């Protein structure tokens, strides 16, 4: 829903699924007649995206480097 002041409400289930929080910055792009809302990459988001990628102490550092580049 778009509020009178132009704010867009994102449903809580989508916010939870994306792992975003109040204050996170996003980029908005117009594609045809659609809006693409993309979480702006920053070091905090990049670190959160790695959560759970190491399952044991035998993980190869090169594997981690390739995950980081995603």
């Amino acid at each position: 829903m778009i509020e009178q002041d132009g704010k867009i409400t994102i449903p809580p289930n989508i916010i939870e699924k994306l792992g975003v929080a109040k204050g996170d910055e996003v980029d908005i792009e117009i594609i045809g007649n659609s809006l693409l809302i993309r979480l702006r990459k920053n070091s905090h988001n990049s670190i959160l995206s790695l959560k759970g990628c190491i399952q044991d102490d035998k993980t190869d550092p090169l594997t981690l480097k390739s995950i980081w580049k995603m």
Side-chain angles (χ1 to χ4, degrees):
M1 171 196 250
I2 300 178
E3 305 292 334
Q4 282 193 333
D5 60 358
K7 293 179 183 176
I8 297 173
T9 301
I10 300 173
N13 62 321
I14 294 175
I15 291 172
E16 184 178 334
K17 185 175 182 176
L18 293 175
V20 296
K22 181 178 178 180
D24 284 349
E25 294 184 0
V26 296
D27 294 315
I28 300 175
E29 184 179 341
I30 299 171
I31 300 176
N33 63 350
S34 299
L35 288 178
L36 172 64
I37 302 173
R38 181 180 303 123
L39 185 61
R40 185 171 291 160
K41 289 187 176 185
N42 61 40
S43 59
H44 175 74
N45 296 333
S46 296
I47 291 169
L48 286 178
S49 70
L50 293 174
K51 183 179 178 180
C53 72
I54 301 175
Q55 300 298 321
D56 56 38
D57 59 356
K58 298 175 186 173
T59 302
D60 177 27
L62 293 177
T63 302
L64 291 178
K65 187 174 182 179
S66 68
I67 292 171
W68 183 259
K69 289 183 180 180
M70 295 173 119

